[in-house]
Amino acid sequence: MRDQPPLPAVSFQSVTRRYGPVIAVSGVTLDIAKGEFFALLGSSGSGKTTLLMLLAGFDQPTEGRVMMSGTSVSELPPHRRSIGVVFQNYALFPHMTAAQNVAYPLKMRGVGRSEREERVKAALSLVNLTERGASYPSQMSGGQQQRVALARSLVFGPELLLMDEPLGALDRRLRDQMQQELKRIQRELGITVIYVTHDQSEAMAMANRIGIMAGGKLLQVADPETIYTAPSSHFVARFIGECSILRVASLDNGRAFEIAGARQSLPSPAIAPFDIVVRPEKVSVHSVNDARSGEAFSVPATIREVTYLGPGWRVELQLSDGQLLLANIMRGDLLAGELEPGKSVIARWASASVTTLPTEGSS
Ligand code: ADP
Ligand code: MG
């Protein structure tokens, strides 16, 4: 027994959910460890909510099964699953005070009055609403209402907290603040969180691991840095931040490539045909007279468009083969003051900063 790995908090095993002809979730297999902050990221209609509902027990899979700590939960009704849920629309009871709302799940579970009061107090304190227990939802801001909803979902001590776009209705500043608080609360409680969002920066900022969904499928699961630096598909590369995806010619059995007459070796060989992914912040722009390339890859380009961004400039470059390359240039970079459309320049990036992807439609 001692040598067995810990059971995942949540395990989706080949889970599919069909609604008539619509496949909302398609063959999802995924383990989430105890204490993880896991973000499910995807655009609207990608199947995120359906996956949460299958876990929460509000819906049943058409195929496959859902396990919690090694036990199949398919037969368990929602209130027996030890799961707290927070939705975008807070769904508070309007005729109850904040404290009564938070007490509700405890009442449902038959917790006695004095313990109830103690737990409600602790839960309201956890979300920094100690003073607002007697307020009604209509007397509270959107952010405060969402804190009450969070307290209500945590008050009975669930093993798992599911959140479905919980901050979507809040403005930017409040959202940033709540993101930090949610992370703090998750750390303090050590609870497992599955957090659904369509906002990639939110997923990056909060999660230990991100699962990217599209068309009901889980496309890639990894930590934020891996998702950003080593996307597994064109879709993921484009979905997470800006990038240029460039067609290249493979050389030396995939150990190097050529683009617009320039050649670069790859740190590890790729299987042809492949494309390369270049993030704009990895690209620098230099004068054509600047020959100091060192270890970096250099390719001639023409400036097409320059946009001022505040911290720097976004430069759209065109290579001699017609392909477009984006560069984000910081203040102080060479040429920053003399970026002009039509100008011939050298684009440069460190050899290690490109990743390769199989050319789409090639496999
Ligand atoms: P997301 O939360 O990522 O926006 P959903 O899980 O809500 O996506 O939906 C995934 C797909 O399943 C969508 O095409 C949606 O229209 C469909 N769908 C979801 N629920 C139902 C339902 N009860 N009946 C029919 N189709 C549904
Ligand atoms: Mg949804």
Side-chain angles (χ1 to χ4, degrees):
M1 285 303 278
R2 241 184 325 139
D3 292 326
Q4 289 191 349
L7 289 165
V10 172
S11 181
F12 293 97
Q13 302 179 350
S14 307
V15 171
T16 293
R17 176 61 166 116
R18 287 195 197 86
Y19 295 107
V22 177
I23 305 185
V25 167
S26 176
V28 166
T29 293
L30 169 67
D31 283 355
I32 294 166
K34 203 165 176 310
E36 246 193 301
F37 196 122
F38 190 93
L40 272 177
L41 174 63
S43 42
S44 179
S46 58
K48 308 180 298 293
T49 296
T50 304
L51 202 55
L52 276 200
M53 292 300 102
L54 294 171
L55 176 56
F58 300 124
D59 195 3
Q60 298 294 327
T62 316
E63 289 161 33
R65 59 179 187 169
V66 183
M67 320 271 285
M68 270 183 76
S69 302
T71 309
S72 171
V73 294
S74 306
E75 307 305 320
L76 280 185
H79 66 276
R80 301 263 324 272
R81 295 192 182 195
S82 190
I83 298 176
V85 187
V86 182
F87 299 102
Q88 178 173 339
N89 50 342
Y90 329 119
L92 296 177
F93 303 115
H95 59 286
M96 291 184 189
T97 63
Q100 286 166 343
N101 266 282
V102 175
Y104 185 79
L106 298 175
K107 258 187 156 163
M108 289 295 95
R109 287 166 172 80
V111 176
R113 190 192 183 91
S114 65
E115 188 186 340
R116 221 157 62 209
E117 280 172 3
E118 219 165 274
R119 290 228 226 157
V120 168
K121 222 174 114 190
L124 284 173
S125 154
L126 184 70
V127 299
N128 288 323
L129 279 182
T130 303
E131 311 296 321
R132 299 306 300 272
S135 304
Y136 286 88
S138 61
Q139 300 168 316
M140 307 178 99
S141 70
Q144 289 169 334
Q145 290 181 51
Q146 193 56 307
R147 283 163 199 265
V148 175
L150 181 62
R152 188 178 59 180
S153 71
L154 291 170
V155 72
F156 58 95
E159 292 164 41
L160 185 60
L161 177 63
L162 308 183
M163 289 191 270
D164 195 349
E165 316 239 5
L167 309 182
L170 305 180
D171 66 44
R172 177 88 248 166
R173 210 169 52 84
L174 201 51
R175 207 157 64 219
D176 290 348
Q177 186 191 333
M178 282 295 285
Q179 284 175 6
Q180 297 313 312
E181 274 206 58
L182 281 172
K183 272 169 67 171
R184 169 186 64 80
I185 289 168
Q186 191 261 344
R187 270 198 311 270
E188 275 179 28
L189 300 179
I191 192 172
T192 310
V193 172
I194 304 182
Y195 188 98
V196 161
T197 180
H198 64 266
D199 179 343
Q200 47 123 339
S201 61
E202 186 166 87
M204 294 286 230
M206 301 187 78
N208 306 122
R209 277 197 309 157
I210 298 175
I212 310 246
M213 289 195 74
K217 291 202 167 76
L218 200 52
L219 296 187
Q220 187 174 6
V221 178
D223 62 281
E225 196 178 338
T226 301
I227 293 258
Y228 188 77
T229 57
S232 64
S233 63
H234 285 63
F235 182 92
V236 172
R238 290 212 174 87
F239 195 74
I240 301 285
E242 277 194 312
C243 66
S244 310
I245 300 181
L246 303 170
R247 271 177 292 111
V248 298
S250 170
L251 300 174
D252 294 349
N253 288 322
R255 280 188 287 269
F257 64 81
E258 188 197 311
I259 182 168
R263 179 200 156 97
Q264 183 192 326
S265 309
L266 283 168
S268 54
I271 295 165
F274 59 87
D275 301 331
I276 58 166
V277 182
V278 190
R279 296 290 180 187
E281 68 276 13
K282 301 291 190 191
V283 180
S284 57
V285 178
H286 304 263
S287 152
V288 285
N289 304 319
D290 180 355
R292 300 164 300 161
S293 74
E295 290 294 291
F297 171 78
S298 295
V299 63
T302 308
I303 297 179
R304 289 224 334 186
E305 196 94 56
V306 180
T307 310
Y308 180 58
L309 297 177
W313 291 264
R314 180 181 189 276
V315 185
E316 198 177 298
L317 301 160
Q318 185 160 32
L319 307 184
S320 64
D321 64 2
Q323 297 196 80
L324 296 181
L325 174 68
L326 280 180
N328 282 348
I329 310 294
M330 285 296 147
R331 263 178 215 290
D333 276 19
L334 203 61
L335 270 188
E338 37 172 340
L339 298 167
E340 273 165 34
K343 187 168 185 133
S344 294
V345 292
I346 303 284
R348 209 165 268 168
W349 60 71
S351 302
S353 63
V354 300
T355 45
T356 61
L357 283 177
T359 298
E360 223 151 57
S362 69
S363 57

PDB file of all heavy atoms in Angstrom, residues 11 13 60-61 64-76 81:
ATOM      1  N   SER A  11     -10.834  12.265 -11.543  1.00  0.00           N
ATOM      2  CA  SER A  11     -10.352  11.545 -12.707  1.00  0.00           C
ATOM      3  C   SER A  11     -11.497  11.400 -13.717  1.00  0.00           C
ATOM      4  O   SER A  11     -12.513  10.776 -13.426  1.00  0.00           O
ATOM      5  CB  SER A  11      -9.843  10.165 -12.258  1.00  0.00           C
ATOM      6  OG  SER A  11      -9.346   9.449 -13.351  1.00  0.00           O
ATOM      7  N   GLN A  13     -12.484   9.686 -17.116  1.00  0.00           N
ATOM      8  CA  GLN A  13     -11.971   8.556 -17.885  1.00  0.00           C
ATOM      9  C   GLN A  13     -12.808   8.373 -19.145  1.00  0.00           C
ATOM     10  O   GLN A  13     -13.934   7.925 -19.085  1.00  0.00           O
ATOM     11  CB  GLN A  13     -11.962   7.299 -17.006  1.00  0.00           C
ATOM     12  CG  GLN A  13     -11.111   7.540 -15.751  1.00  0.00           C
ATOM     13  CD  GLN A  13     -11.060   6.347 -14.816  1.00  0.00           C
ATOM     14  OE1 GLN A  13     -11.809   5.381 -14.985  1.00  0.00           O
ATOM     15  NE2 GLN A  13     -10.182   6.403 -13.827  1.00  0.00           N
ATOM     16  N   GLN A  60     -25.152  13.502 -16.497  1.00  0.00           N
ATOM     17  CA  GLN A  60     -24.497  12.192 -16.552  1.00  0.00           C
ATOM     18  C   GLN A  60     -23.767  12.025 -17.881  1.00  0.00           C
ATOM     19  O   GLN A  60     -24.271  12.436 -18.924  1.00  0.00           O
ATOM     20  CB  GLN A  60     -25.544  11.071 -16.438  1.00  0.00           C
ATOM     21  CG  GLN A  60     -26.327  11.072 -15.140  1.00  0.00           C
ATOM     22  CD  GLN A  60     -25.473  10.766 -13.929  1.00  0.00           C
ATOM     23  OE1 GLN A  60     -24.511   9.996 -14.013  1.00  0.00           O
ATOM     24  NE2 GLN A  60     -25.799  11.370 -12.799  1.00  0.00           N
ATOM     25  N   PRO A  61     -22.567  11.384 -17.867  1.00  0.00           N
ATOM     26  CA  PRO A  61     -21.878  11.156 -19.140  1.00  0.00           C
ATOM     27  C   PRO A  61     -22.626  10.140 -20.009  1.00  0.00           C
ATOM     28  O   PRO A  61     -23.277   9.236 -19.487  1.00  0.00           O
ATOM     29  CB  PRO A  61     -20.511  10.605 -18.722  1.00  0.00           C
ATOM     30  CG  PRO A  61     -20.602  10.248 -17.288  1.00  0.00           C
ATOM     31  CD  PRO A  61     -21.814  10.904 -16.709  1.00  0.00           C
ATOM     32  N   GLY A  64     -18.073   6.687 -20.616  1.00  0.00           N
ATOM     33  CA  GLY A  64     -16.963   6.940 -19.714  1.00  0.00           C
ATOM     34  C   GLY A  64     -17.431   7.149 -18.289  1.00  0.00           C
ATOM     35  O   GLY A  64     -18.621   7.030 -17.991  1.00  0.00           O
ATOM     36  N   ARG A  65     -16.464   7.425 -17.387  1.00  0.00           N
ATOM     37  CA  ARG A  65     -16.870   7.635 -15.996  1.00  0.00           C
ATOM     38  C   ARG A  65     -16.029   8.709 -15.320  1.00  0.00           C
ATOM     39  O   ARG A  65     -14.941   9.050 -15.756  1.00  0.00           O
ATOM     40  CB  ARG A  65     -16.821   6.328 -15.219  1.00  0.00           C
ATOM     41  CG  ARG A  65     -15.464   5.695 -15.217  1.00  0.00           C
ATOM     42  CD  ARG A  65     -15.502   4.424 -14.397  1.00  0.00           C
ATOM     43  NE  ARG A  65     -14.144   3.898 -14.272  1.00  0.00           N
ATOM     44  CZ  ARG A  65     -13.811   2.926 -13.459  1.00  0.00           C
ATOM     45  NH1 ARG A  65     -14.716   2.354 -12.699  1.00  0.00           N
ATOM     46  NH2 ARG A  65     -12.562   2.509 -13.409  1.00  0.00           N
ATOM     47  N   VAL A  66     -16.598   9.218 -14.235  1.00  0.00           N
ATOM     48  CA  VAL A  66     -15.962  10.273 -13.453  1.00  0.00           C
ATOM     49  C   VAL A  66     -15.692   9.725 -12.060  1.00  0.00           C
ATOM     50  O   VAL A  66     -16.587   9.168 -11.427  1.00  0.00           O
ATOM     51  CB  VAL A  66     -16.883  11.510 -13.351  1.00  0.00           C
ATOM     52  CG1 VAL A  66     -16.180  12.634 -12.606  1.00  0.00           C
ATOM     53  CG2 VAL A  66     -17.331  11.973 -14.733  1.00  0.00           C
ATOM     54  N   MET A  67     -14.441   9.848 -11.604  1.00  0.00           N
ATOM     55  CA  MET A  67     -14.071   9.347 -10.285  1.00  0.00           C
ATOM     56  C   MET A  67     -13.640  10.512  -9.389  1.00  0.00           C
ATOM     57  O   MET A  67     -13.040  11.476  -9.859  1.00  0.00           O
ATOM     58  CB  MET A  67     -12.881   8.385 -10.369  1.00  0.00           C
ATOM     59  CG  MET A  67     -12.880   7.422 -11.539  1.00  0.00           C
ATOM     60  SD  MET A  67     -13.739   5.909 -11.161  1.00  0.00           S
ATOM     61  CE  MET A  67     -12.545   5.090 -10.094  1.00  0.00           C
ATOM     62  N   MET A  68     -13.923  10.372  -8.097  1.00  0.00           N
ATOM     63  CA  MET A  68     -13.352  11.290  -7.098  1.00  0.00           C
ATOM     64  C   MET A  68     -12.618  10.455  -6.079  1.00  0.00           C
ATOM     65  O   MET A  68     -13.207   9.551  -5.487  1.00  0.00           O
ATOM     66  CB  MET A  68     -14.448  12.115  -6.415  1.00  0.00           C
ATOM     67  CG  MET A  68     -14.755  13.429  -7.117  1.00  0.00           C
ATOM     68  SD  MET A  68     -16.001  14.388  -6.218  1.00  0.00           S
ATOM     69  CE  MET A  68     -15.032  15.028  -4.839  1.00  0.00           C
ATOM     70  N   SER A  69     -11.338  10.738  -5.879  1.00  0.00           N
ATOM     71  CA  SER A  69     -10.487   9.987  -4.950  1.00  0.00           C
ATOM     72  C   SER A  69     -10.661   8.475  -5.133  1.00  0.00           C
ATOM     73  O   SER A  69     -10.768   7.733  -4.168  1.00  0.00           O
ATOM     74  CB  SER A  69     -10.769  10.379  -3.499  1.00  0.00           C
ATOM     75  OG  SER A  69     -10.567  11.756  -3.333  1.00  0.00           O
ATOM     76  N   GLY A  70     -10.698   8.046  -6.385  1.00  0.00           N
ATOM     77  CA  GLY A  70     -10.709   6.621  -6.684  1.00  0.00           C
ATOM     78  C   GLY A  70     -12.072   5.957  -6.669  1.00  0.00           C
ATOM     79  O   GLY A  70     -12.175   4.760  -6.906  1.00  0.00           O
ATOM     80  N   THR A  71     -13.128   6.717  -6.377  1.00  0.00           N
ATOM     81  CA  THR A  71     -14.466   6.129  -6.344  1.00  0.00           C
ATOM     82  C   THR A  71     -15.315   6.729  -7.453  1.00  0.00           C
ATOM     83  O   THR A  71     -15.323   7.940  -7.642  1.00  0.00           O
ATOM     84  CB  THR A  71     -15.144   6.435  -4.982  1.00  0.00           C
ATOM     85  OG1 THR A  71     -14.257   6.053  -3.946  1.00  0.00           O
ATOM     86  CG2 THR A  71     -16.458   5.683  -4.848  1.00  0.00           C
ATOM     87  N   SER A  72     -16.035   5.881  -8.166  1.00  0.00           N
ATOM     88  CA  SER A  72     -16.912   6.384  -9.212  1.00  0.00           C
ATOM     89  C   SER A  72     -18.039   7.181  -8.579  1.00  0.00           C
ATOM     90  O   SER A  72     -18.664   6.748  -7.613  1.00  0.00           O
ATOM     91  CB  SER A  72     -17.495   5.217 -10.014  1.00  0.00           C
ATOM     92  OG  SER A  72     -18.498   5.716 -10.873  1.00  0.00           O
ATOM     93  N   VAL A  73     -18.289   8.370  -9.131  1.00  0.00           N
ATOM     94  CA  VAL A  73     -19.321   9.218  -8.524  1.00  0.00           C
ATOM     95  C   VAL A  73     -20.614   9.214  -9.340  1.00  0.00           C
ATOM     96  O   VAL A  73     -21.566   9.891  -8.991  1.00  0.00           O
ATOM     97  CB  VAL A  73     -18.833  10.678  -8.360  1.00  0.00           C
ATOM     98  CG1 VAL A  73     -17.701  10.746  -7.357  1.00  0.00           C
ATOM     99  CG2 VAL A  73     -18.429  11.266  -9.686  1.00  0.00           C
ATOM    100  N   SER A  74     -20.611   8.416 -10.413  1.00  0.00           N
ATOM    101  CA  SER A  74     -21.754   8.475 -11.327  1.00  0.00           C
ATOM    102  C   SER A  74     -23.086   8.225 -10.629  1.00  0.00           C
ATOM    103  O   SER A  74     -24.113   8.751 -11.030  1.00  0.00           O
ATOM    104  CB  SER A  74     -21.573   7.456 -12.458  1.00  0.00           C
ATOM    105  OG  SER A  74     -20.328   7.667 -13.066  1.00  0.00           O
ATOM    106  N   GLU A  75     -23.068   7.412  -9.582  1.00  0.00           N
ATOM    107  CA  GLU A  75     -24.327   7.078  -8.911  1.00  0.00           C
ATOM    108  C   GLU A  75     -24.643   8.025  -7.758  1.00  0.00           C
ATOM    109  O   GLU A  75     -25.713   7.970  -7.184  1.00  0.00           O
ATOM    110  CB  GLU A  75     -24.288   5.640  -8.389  1.00  0.00           C
ATOM    111  CG  GLU A  75     -23.924   4.591  -9.448  1.00  0.00           C
ATOM    112  CD  GLU A  75     -24.842   4.655 -10.668  1.00  0.00           C
ATOM    113  OE1 GLU A  75     -26.062   4.853 -10.480  1.00  0.00           O
ATOM    114  OE2 GLU A  75     -24.328   4.524 -11.795  1.00  0.00           O
ATOM    115  N   LEU A  76     -23.681   8.901  -7.430  1.00  0.00           N
ATOM    116  CA  LEU A  76     -23.885   9.784  -6.271  1.00  0.00           C
ATOM    117  C   LEU A  76     -24.667  11.033  -6.649  1.00  0.00           C
ATOM    118  O   LEU A  76     -24.306  11.722  -7.593  1.00  0.00           O
ATOM    119  CB  LEU A  76     -22.538  10.226  -5.690  1.00  0.00           C
ATOM    120  CG  LEU A  76     -21.770   9.284  -4.771  1.00  0.00           C
ATOM    121  CD1 LEU A  76     -20.537   9.997  -4.232  1.00  0.00           C
ATOM    122  CD2 LEU A  76     -22.630   8.798  -3.621  1.00  0.00           C
ATOM    123  N   ARG A  81     -21.529  14.640  -3.042  1.00  0.00           N
ATOM    124  CA  ARG A  81     -20.225  14.609  -3.705  1.00  0.00           C
ATOM    125  C   ARG A  81     -19.142  15.473  -3.055  1.00  0.00           C
ATOM    126  O   ARG A  81     -18.044  15.552  -3.562  1.00  0.00           O
ATOM    127  CB  ARG A  81     -20.376  15.012  -5.181  1.00  0.00           C
ATOM    128  CG  ARG A  81     -21.210  14.015  -5.955  1.00  0.00           C
ATOM    129  CD  ARG A  81     -21.141  14.212  -7.455  1.00  0.00           C
ATOM    130  NE  ARG A  81     -22.014  13.229  -8.108  1.00  0.00           N
ATOM    131  CZ  ARG A  81     -21.991  12.932  -9.385  1.00  0.00           C
ATOM    132  NH1 ARG A  81     -21.144  13.542 -10.189  1.00  0.00           N
ATOM    133  NH2 ARG A  81     -22.804  12.034  -9.891  1.00  0.00           N
TER     134      ARG A  81
END
